[in-house]
Amino acid sequence: MSETVDLSLATRPSDADAVPGLLQDLNALQGTWTEGDEETRHKMVVKARSLLQSLLTPREQMVQHTWADPGLNAALITGVDVGLWKLMVKNGVDAVHKVEDLAESLGMDPELLGRLLRHVCAMGHLEEVAQDQYKLKNFTKSMSLDVIGDGYVCLHGGIGRSPIEFYKFLRETNWRNPVDASHTAFHASYNSKVPNCMLYLGSIGMGPQMNHHMGGYRQGRLPWHHPKIYPVEQELFPGADTSPDAPLVVDVAGGLGHDIDEFKRNYPNHPGKLILQDLAPVIEDAKDIDPSIERMPHDFLTEQPIKGARAYFMHSILHDWPDDVCQKILARLADAMKPGYSKILIFECVIPRTGAYWEATAGDMLMMTQLSACERTEDQWHKLIEGSGLGLKITRFWSSGLSAVENVIEVQLA
């Protein structure tokens, strides 16, 4: 006889028995936590989420996922688009904001704005002072920053149908793990012939918003060259060619140069030279970086023009592509490497075999539903790099030990 679930289960707390233990765990963690202790904070976030999920009934969680969260996104995106959050900050970050005053300044229907802000408040992101009067909280203050707010516009407003309609794509592909970069859920949802969702965002005028989001999600994370992750003064500088024209670090597909410029600021006396590579339109926009950094247009699927660099660095590049494309990218670098000298330094998420952190799995879902790519486990990294037949080997995974942050995957010629 097949088992069934009684409907009453959906209206009871999801795990009432777990609540006392979770409260004890949170109290114990709180007793040791100090601001700046990210590892303990991450543990508290996981426990707090588990506590909330244990207290909520399955029915409440269903309503949150299908009503509350989409409604919140609708309000937040509208606020970014109309300039609401910036206006509220301009009028006073700690002021009391009246809906009618905001609506008049924005040219909005006050009844519409009141409904939106009421839900944002009910979801915990505004402080209600009186009817249709609110104060900002730190989250909604931060929504005025382009690196925070623009992520909602580009990911939800620009390509948000892809994850929602992912099940349709899987149905059409017989429920296979997506690995074809030319046929993704994005292509299916938007009936688009554009090679990928990032180029699509640029084609609809959301390139700047995507660049802002890329900068925003990296905020608060340690850079790859931080001594807690990869000690460049012990691992990269010793043995490096010190002549001025010797390539030290080539930042492959480095975008606007945030990583390489930060490296330059933190290690101004580095040996050799630094090189930023990306497609020509991107390089043309890379203006706010140290002038000593060489800017070079380059497509990573073509021959690498810089031979024998000390390090070829890639940040969040391979997770955008399935294995077959990644192997082509790695092949170009392997051909350019100097045996016993050159390294590939890959700064990306490495998902553990068990106990994956929510931010890492969220990134994996984003890559899967938009690009038919993935965040990789340690086993998958070994398979990609060492099973590629390119003569490469992983020499070490360098990690700060914190949850949900990237590792430096150090690769050399075998």
Side-chain angles (χ1 to χ4, degrees):
M1 179 182 297
S2 62
E3 294 188 16
T4 61
V5 173
D6 192 282
L7 181 60
S8 64
L9 184 72
T11 59
R12 300 198 301 267
S14 292
D15 193 355
D17 293 341
V19 171
L22 288 168
L23 285 170
Q24 290 179 356
D25 291 345
L26 270 170
N27 284 331
L29 288 167
Q30 191 276 333
T32 63
W33 178 56
T34 57
E35 190 169 355
D37 177 2
E38 286 295 280
E39 181 68 13
T40 300
R41 186 184 70 83
H42 284 181
K43 291 178 180 178
M44 292 175 71
V45 167
V46 172
K47 292 291 183 181
R49 176 180 278 105
S50 297
L51 175 62
L52 177 60
Q53 291 172 342
S54 297
L55 289 168
L56 288 171
T57 68
R59 186 205 69 85
E60 289 170 332
Q61 293 189 59
M62 177 271 291
V63 172
Q64 177 179 330
H65 296 156
T66 58
W67 295 15
D69 291 341
L72 177 62
N73 285 328
L76 293 174
I77 295 168
T78 300
V80 174
D81 190 58
V82 78
L84 169 65
W85 314 117
K86 290 184 177 181
L87 175 64
M88 293 177 77
V89 166
K90 180 181 178 182
N91 290 349
V93 291
D94 296 316
V96 175
H97 303 272
K98 296 182 179 179
V99 167
E100 58 183 347
D101 294 338
L102 294 169
E104 181 178 2
S105 296
L106 296 169
M108 290 184 73
D109 181 339
E111 184 175 357
L112 165 65
L113 183 58
R115 294 172 70 186
L116 296 175
L117 291 184
R118 188 180 303 127
H119 184 54
V120 175
C121 180
M123 295 297 287
H125 301 305
L126 290 170
E127 178 185 343
E128 189 174 48
V129 178
Q131 182 177 356
D132 288 333
Q133 296 182 31
Y134 300 99
K135 293 182 69 174
L136 293 164
K137 290 189 176 182
N138 283 347
F139 169 70
T140 37
K141 291 176 184 178
S142 298
M143 284 294 293
S144 69
L145 302 172
D146 290 339
V147 295
I148 302 299
D150 278 358
Y152 292 81
V153 176
C154 67
L155 291 184
H156 289 308
I159 52 177
R161 288 207 305 266
S162 304
I164 294 173
E165 298 182 354
F166 186 53
Y167 74 99
K168 296 180 182 179
F169 170 76
L170 291 178
R171 183 189 297 160
E172 294 170 0
T173 57
N174 295 316
W175 311 100
R176 297 291 184 265
N177 186 47
V179 295
D180 184 353
S182 65
H183 184 214
T184 68
F186 154 74
H187 292 115
S189 294
Y190 289 86
N191 192 27
S192 176
K193 302 300 182 184
V194 178
N196 59 57
C197 64
M198 292 175 286
L199 291 175
Y200 172 78
L201 286 170
S203 73
I204 62 173
M206 287 192 180
Q209 286 86 349
M210 188 61 191
N211 285 333
H212 289 152
H213 171 64
M214 295 296 289
Y217 98 88
R218 294 172 181 173
Q219 298 299 310
R221 292 184 170 190
L222 295 177
W224 70 275
H225 54 264
H226 193 283
K228 288 185 178 179
I229 300 181
Y230 188 75
V232 296
E233 292 180 311
Q234 289 77 44
E235 297 295 326
L236 198 65
F237 292 173
D241 189 335
T242 58
S243 60
D245 291 332
L248 178 72
V249 177
V250 180
D251 191 349
V252 180
L256 300 180
H258 299 301
D259 284 307
I260 200 74
D261 189 61
E262 187 174 18
F263 181 92
K264 177 68 179 181
R265 292 196 307 271
N266 289 334
Y267 298 97
N269 299 317
H270 64 82
K273 67 177 179 179
L274 308 177
I275 301 166
L276 171 67
Q277 294 179 337
D278 212 308
L279 298 176
V282 179
I283 288 295
E284 290 173 4
D285 289 337
K287 300 172 182 177
D288 299 325
I289 62 175
D290 191 286
S292 69
I293 299 171
E294 181 179 346
R295 294 180 297 167
M296 177 182 295
H298 174 60
D299 179 346
F300 54 42
L301 292 176
T302 64
E303 180 182 356
Q304 171 57 244
I306 304 299
K307 311 296 184 184
R310 181 63 166 150
Y312 298 92
F313 172 75
M314 290 185 290
H315 187 181
S316 298
I317 302 302
L318 299 184
H319 78 163
D320 288 341
W321 302 96
D323 283 4
D324 61 333
V325 179
C326 289
Q327 287 170 357
K328 294 176 183 177
I329 297 170
L330 291 168
R332 301 299 182 223
L333 298 180
D335 289 343
M337 294 172 71
K338 179 181 177 180
Y341 179 79
S342 298
K343 304 179 181 185
I344 301 174
L345 301 177
I346 302 166
F347 194 37
E348 291 210 19
C349 174
V350 178
I351 299 178
R353 291 185 176 93
T354 60
Y357 191 67
W358 68 268
E359 196 168 335
T361 56
D364 187 44
M365 294 299 295
L366 179 65
M367 296 302 106
M368 178 167 57
T369 59
Q370 298 290 358
L371 295 161
S372 289
C374 66
E375 300 287 4
R376 293 174 170 87
T377 65
E378 183 173 329
D379 293 336
Q380 288 171 323
W381 279 114
H382 279 289
K383 179 181 177 182
L384 172 66
I385 292 170
E386 298 174 344
S388 63
L390 299 174
L392 296 170
K393 64 177 180 179
I394 295 174
T395 54
R396 182 167 175 178
F397 292 93
W398 296 84
S399 173
S400 67
L402 298 177
S403 303
V405 296
E406 298 104 330
N407 290 202
V408 170
I409 306 164
E410 185 179 57
V411 179
Q412 294 182 343
L413 291 171

